Amino acid sequence: MEKESTTIWHLYSDGMRSDIPFGTEEAKCFAWNSIAICAWRENVTLLVITINDTHFHLLAEATPVRIGKFKDLLKQRLHRHMGKSDAIHLSCDRTDDRTSALARFMYVYRNCLDFYHKLPGEYPWGCGNIYFSEKKNFYKGTKIKNLSYRVFRSIFRTHYPLPAEWVCDEKGKILPECFIDIQRVETLFGSVRAFIAFLYVRKEDEMAMKQLINRNYLEHRSILDLRRMGNELSRRIHGRHLEKLSLEQRIGIAARMIRQGQAGKNASLAKALFLKPEDLQFLL
C-alpha cells in the first residue's frame, strides 16, 4: 500500500462568532496548550499559531488522515473544556503549492494585527520572533520533567505523557519553540529575505485571502450546525421551532443568517432551513 504524503494545511476556528471563547488569558492558554498536545499525539507538525479572543489560526503539515484526527481530537478537547457540544466549529483548507503555503503562513503570523495593532513578535499568543534567529536555544521556564504529576495535571489537564524537555512559562503556556518546527519553516521560506518579503504582503492580497477563508468556512459548516443556528434565531424572533414557521418566515431567517455572516447562500443552508435552493435565489 502506498504511503500517504504530507501536505500543509490551514486550520482555523469560526472568526465570525458573536461571543469571545478565548477572551481570557486562561482560555487562550488552554487552547494554545491543547493545540500543542493534540499535534504531539497525532504526529502533526505545527508551523505557526495565532490565538485571539474570538478564534484561532494555525498552519500544520500532516497526511490527510492525521490532520483529520488532530482536528477531531482538538475539537473534542475544546468542547469538553468549554462545556458546550456546539462550542467550536473548525475548518481545514489544504494548500496546493509553496507560494500558497507561504502566503497562508504569513496570514496566520500577522493575524494579530487585526486587533492587537503591534508587530507579531510582540503578541504573546503567537509565535513571536522564533524564526530566522541566530539564537536557537530560547528555553526559559520550567521543564515538564520537573513538574509534579499533580501540577502537570492541573496545568495541562491530560493524562497523556508529554516530552520531558518541553518547557512552560509561569502561566503554564508551553513555549512555541518546544513544538513549532522552526527548521521546517525556515527551509520552506529558504531565506530571511523571502520571509521579510512575505511579511509585507499587499493589503489587497491579504483582504482577498480573508474573504476566501470566510467563504470556505461558510461552505464547510454542517447542515446540523446551520439548523441549530436557524432554530436559535427562530425561537428568538418568532418564539417557535423552525419547522413550525411559514415558508416566508424561514426565508426571512435565511436572509438574516446570510446578512450576519453566519451562512453562505448555498444548498446546505436551504436544506438546514427546510427550504429548496431556489428559495434563496433572490436573497442578497
Side-chain angles (χ1 to χ4, degrees), residues 46-63:
L46 292 172
L47 305 178
V48 63
I49 306 171
T50 296
I51 300 176
N52 67 37
D53 287 356
T54 58
H55 65 291
F56 64 81
H57 290 267
L58 65 87
L59 213 66
E61 190 167 22
T63 64

Side-chain angles (χ1 to χ4, degrees), residues 8 47-48 59 98-107 109 131-132 182-199 201:
I8 293 177
L47 305 178
V48 63
L59 213 66
R98 175 177 174 271
T99 300
S100 173
L102 299 188
R104 290 287 178 126
F105 177 96
M106 277 304 166
Y107 180 84
Y109 185 68
Y131 309 106
F132 292 99
I182 302 169
Q183 187 174 5
R184 175 68 180 115
V185 173
E186 293 177 354
T187 302
L188 194 63
F189 276 92
S191 71
V192 68
R193 287 181 179 274
F195 185 86
I196 293 172
F198 272 88
L199 181 61
V201 295

Side-chain angles (χ1 to χ4, degrees), residues 39-238:
W40 172 256
R41 286 188 60 174
E42 297 301 334
N43 195 25
V44 167
T45 299
L46 292 172
L47 305 178
V48 63
I49 306 171
T50 296
I51 300 176
N52 67 37
D53 287 356
T54 58
H55 65 291
F56 64 81
H57 290 267
L58 65 87
L59 213 66
E61 190 167 22
T63 64
V65 170
R66 290 200 176 278
I67 198 69
K69 290 182 176 179
F70 166 69
K71 177 183 171 184
D72 291 343
L73 185 64
L74 178 60
K75 186 174 181 178
Q76 181 184 55
R77 183 174 164 89
L78 293 174
H79 281 180
R80 194 163 55 238
H81 176 67
M82 298 174 75
K84 298 178 182 178
S85 60
D86 58 352
I88 294 291
H89 179 84
L90 302 181
S91 295
C92 194
D93 299 337
R94 181 175 186 147
T95 61
D96 297 319
D97 53 67
R98 175 177 174 271
T99 300
S100 173
L102 299 188
R104 290 287 178 126
F105 177 96
M106 277 304 166
Y107 180 84
V108 176
Y109 185 68
R110 288 165 44 90
N111 193 252
C112 65
L113 292 174
D114 284 347
F115 57 94
Y116 190 64
H117 305 304
K118 290 184 180 179
L119 293 175
E122 299 175 286
Y123 184 61
W125 298 105
C127 290
N129 296 317
I130 64 175
Y131 309 106
F132 292 99
S133 172
E134 292 182 7
K135 186 179 180 182
K136 294 301 181 187
N137 183 20
F138 303 94
Y139 304 102
K140 288 182 181 179
T142 304
K143 289 186 177 181
I144 284 180
K145 67 180 181 182
N146 294 330
L147 298 174
S148 69
Y149 180 72
R150 183 178 179 181
V151 172
F152 174 87
R153 284 279 291 129
S154 69
I155 293 175
F156 303 116
R157 304 181 197 185
T158 182
H159 292 288
Y160 193 81
L162 301 177
E165 296 302 313
W166 276 11
V167 176
C168 63
D169 64 14
E170 67 280 358
K171 297 177 182 176
K173 171 190 174 185
I174 301 171
L175 301 186
E177 52 268 31
C178 297
F179 61 90
I180 296 291
D181 194 334
I182 302 169
Q183 187 174 5
R184 175 68 180 115
V185 173
E186 293 177 354
T187 302
L188 194 63
F189 276 92
S191 71
V192 68
R193 287 181 179 274
F195 185 86
I196 293 172
F198 272 88
L199 181 61
Y200 293 98
V201 295
R202 294 184 303 167
K203 196 68 179 175
E204 55 266 34
D205 291 341
E206 191 169 80
M207 185 58 66
M209 186 176 296
K210 186 177 294 186
Q211 290 171 350
L212 175 64
I213 290 166
N214 287 339
R215 188 162 64 248
N216 287 348
Y217 167 74
L218 294 179
E219 289 295 328
H220 292 163
R221 259 192 159 151
S222 71
I223 291 171
L224 287 177
D225 192 27
L226 291 168
R227 185 165 292 169
R228 173 189 56 78
M229 291 187 292
N231 272 320
E232 288 175 358
L233 271 176
S234 177
R235 285 192 292 268
R236 190 163 70 244
I237 298 169
H238 302 290

